[in-house]
Amino acid sequence: MQKEKFISGMNGHIVLSPMERERIIQRSVEREHWKTKSTICMEEMAELQQQISKQIRGYDDRYGLLEEMADVYISLKLLESIFNVTPEEMQKAIDVKLARERSNQ
């Protein structure tokens, strides 16, 4: 997405319902082969790594960081759909990881 369009959207009044978000994700998964979509998800994760690196080095680009984080969040939702991971399974996996983190503190 062009940065100017993203910033404009962030300052606008775009609000999608959970049902609309899910519909968009489903259509996205249906449009491309799952291997292609999975590869795109990996690329989005790499772009977030680059943005985090820029933040660490002092580039103050909050919108850039938010855009890449949103891309990865969407990618995770796409991967849940592609690999048939239920919300309950994902939440349980998150809870297991967080419980492990808590015990390490």
Side-chain angles (χ1 to χ4, degrees), residues 80 85-98:
E80 286 177 4
V85 175
T86 68
E88 295 79 18
E89 288 174 312
M90 182 53 61
Q91 190 58 62
K92 181 67 174 187
I94 291 168
D95 289 350
V96 168
K97 298 293 283 186
L98 288 174

Side-chain angles (χ1 to χ4, degrees), residues 9-44:
M10 287 295 291
N11 292 321
H13 300 287
I14 297 172
V15 178
L16 301 176
S17 70
M19 199 160 102
E20 179 68 6
R21 290 181 196 128
E22 184 60 32
R23 187 179 68 75
I24 293 167
I25 287 170
Q26 277 307 120
R27 281 198 341 220
S28 179
V29 169
E30 292 166 2
R31 275 196 319 262
E32 292 181 275
H33 191 274
W34 71 271
K35 288 183 179 179
T36 302
K37 191 57 78 174
S38 296
T39 300
I40 291 168
C41 290
M42 290 186 291
E43 291 168 358
E44 293 296 350

Side-chain angles (χ1 to χ4, degrees), residues 98-105:
L98 288 174
R100 186 179 312 156
E101 179 65 28
R102 179 182 60 199
S103 69
N104 289 336
Q105 293 178 352

